[in-house]
Amino acid sequence: MCSAILDLGAEPVDPDAYIRALMRWHFDPESGSPYWLRRARTLDFDPRTDIRTFDDLTRFPNVVDEFRDIAVSELIPRGLTGADREIAGIFESGGTTGLPKRFVMFEPWMEFALGWDEFHYAGLGTVNTLAIAPSGPHMFGEFATRRARRHDGLKFTIDLDPRWIKQLLARGATEEAERYAGHLIDQVGHILGTQPVGILITTPPLLERVARRPELVDAIRAQVKFICWSGAHMDADTRDIFRTEIFPGIPLKGLYGSTTILGMSRERDEDHPDGLPIFDAPSPYIAFRVVDPATGRDVEYGERGQVVMNHLTKYALLPNNTERDTALKLPPLPGALGCAVADVGPVRTFGDRAVIEGVY
């Protein structure tokens, strides 16, 4: 039986009670997934009795590499029934550091995550959405599709394969990669020139390429009401130029997330003193830590370290996952687990592989 504390909602919960209930759910033979019930036998602790606080999650090994070849049916908690068990999609990581990892996204969690970010879009009314972003098998495209539905609008998109661009860059074919990116922006130009678009969703590298074409800048200024960026790094100077010089008056907001946490954090209304966006995760369901990569210990507020992500819902358990990003650690919102982050950027290498950001 699922504890009511695990039901998705906006009301604050006791974080320690939440963690304890989550451990009982995922490691009870009646409700846990086949993967975690099997994996628990390899742990040197009992999650149901030994994991009692958020800090205790550091005892878990980072298991997401195992999601590269496991059957996704093994990840479905047995206790999910009815509407809770409805699957929104099977999504993959970008494959930047090896074969992609696959995750199950359930419908209630997908809709909760979108609703949690909806306040940024309040007041936009009925608008169409243009997503300069990949569709499947990436989560980004499905979020864009549902964003359009929430505003009773149509979604326009282009056919983008970010993995192909990363392959081109990895083998030094930069000119070919630029031609491919130019081909994408040509398609964007045709949509903006013929269709009304109110929400633009894209990545910083592609937004930069859009900004190089004056006719596309004019089209965005004339009709777009909101620009959402995600999927890659945007530095403070670039962000300031977009906001004050290229697209003045159009809200520009970022999302920082990952398929490996099945969601995203959202940008605060106020900036870091350096002009950097601050990202908060939807606690207690997603929580960040920032650690010294050499020791694994948490850094102090204001210091840079490597991001560790946790997805903590009854739909999935993904604890203690070291991401391929570094960030500044900042205080969380009152009552939230973990920390906020700012100035997120990719590490140079992850494991034994070079990290190529590409366009996504």
Side-chain angles (χ1 to χ4, degrees):
M1 182 70 66
C2 179
S3 171
I5 198 174
L6 298 182
D7 292 339
L8 301 174
E11 295 300 318
V13 298
D14 177 83
D16 291 346
Y18 183 84
I19 294 295
R20 291 193 293 271
L22 192 74
M23 293 299 107
R24 290 193 296 270
W25 168 263
H26 282 292
F27 294 97
D28 187 310
E30 298 297 318
S31 54
S33 67
Y35 168 79
W36 273 117
L37 294 175
R38 183 175 62 253
R39 194 64 167 82
R41 295 195 291 268
T42 71
L43 303 175
D44 61 0
F45 59 91
D46 183 345
R48 290 177 294 180
T49 58
D50 298 333
I51 305 299
R52 306 186 63 79
T53 69
F54 176 68
D55 288 342
D56 291 338
L57 295 174
T58 59
R59 298 188 64 176
F60 278 100
N62 184 2
V63 299
V64 294
D65 280 345
E66 299 173 19
F67 288 31
R68 299 185 195 274
D69 52 17
I70 190 173
V72 292
S73 59
E74 297 285 290
L75 304 175
I76 298 176
R78 292 171 176 170
L80 295 178
T81 59
D84 271 341
R85 197 179 175 86
E86 184 179 351
I87 294 175
I90 306 299
F91 300 112
E92 296 184 3
S93 64
T96 302
T97 56
L99 293 173
K101 301 176 280 285
R102 294 178 184 86
F103 303 86
V104 185
M105 176 83 83
F106 289 92
E107 190 69 29
W109 168 249
M110 169 74 83
E111 284 301 307
F112 176 86
L114 276 166
W116 180 76
D117 188 49
E118 182 66 28
F119 83 102
H120 276 326
Y121 301 85
L124 293 182
T126 300
V127 290
N128 294 335
T129 297
L130 169 57
I132 317 174
S135 53
H138 303 285
M139 186 175 64
F140 200 166
E142 181 64 17
F143 271 105
T145 297
R146 292 172 183 245
R147 181 65 64 202
R149 290 178 190 164
R150 281 173 170 262
H151 289 272
D152 297 319
L154 305 173
K155 177 200 170 187
F156 299 100
T157 190
I158 57 174
D159 192 12
L160 165 59
D161 183 356
R163 293 176 184 169
W164 181 243
I165 291 187
K166 290 178 181 180
Q167 283 195 32
L168 295 175
L169 295 175
R171 69 170 189 256
T174 54
E175 290 186 8
E176 189 176 348
E178 280 302 317
R179 285 197 298 271
Y180 183 84
H183 170 63
L184 300 176
I185 304 306
D186 288 343
Q187 297 173 69
V188 171
H190 189 257
I191 294 172
L192 287 174
T194 60
Q195 307 296 328
V197 172
I199 298 174
L200 176 63
I201 301 176
T202 189
T203 68
L206 290 173
L207 188 60
E208 290 175 18
R209 286 170 171 82
V210 166
R212 296 171 192 168
R213 301 194 186 187
E215 72 279 10
L216 300 189
V217 173
D218 290 342
I220 290 172
R221 288 176 174 176
Q223 60 178 317
V224 171
K225 299 179 180 180
F226 190 96
I227 300 173
C228 172
W229 61 270
S230 186
H233 175 240
M234 183 184 293
D235 62 57
D237 290 341
T238 300
R239 179 170 176 266
D240 183 64
I241 291 171
F242 277 139
R243 296 170 77 190
T244 62
E245 299 181 24
I246 302 176
F247 304 119
I250 302 176
L252 175 74
K253 293 291 185 180
L255 297 175
Y256 170 55
S258 168
T259 307
T260 55
I261 52 164
L262 295 167
M264 68 285 192
S265 58
R266 69 188 182 197
E267 183 179 331
R268 283 187 196 175
D269 287 335
E270 72 272 17
D271 296 343
H272 187 267
D274 292 335
L276 297 165
I278 301 171
F279 295 105
D280 294 296
S283 177
Y285 311 120
I286 295 174
F288 298 150
R289 295 171 54 233
V290 179
V291 304
D292 181 333
T295 65
R297 296 177 182 172
D298 289 23
V299 302
E300 299 296 325
Y301 290 131
E303 293 183 353
R304 176 169 290 278
Q306 195 154 1
V307 179
V308 175
M309 293 185 170
N310 300 267
H311 179 100
L312 308 168
T313 68
K314 65 180 179 181
Y315 302 100
L317 176 64
L318 299 165
N320 207 29
N321 170 40
T322 303
E323 269 291 333
R324 59 175 181 85
D325 297 314
T326 66
L328 294 177
K329 177 183 177 180
L330 296 175
L333 295 174
L337 291 178
C339 64
V341 296
D343 197 21
V344 179
V347 297
R348 292 179 179 271
T349 60
F350 191 75
D352 59 352
R353 293 176 179 266
V355 172
I356 300 172
E357 193 166 38
V359 298
Y360 170 65

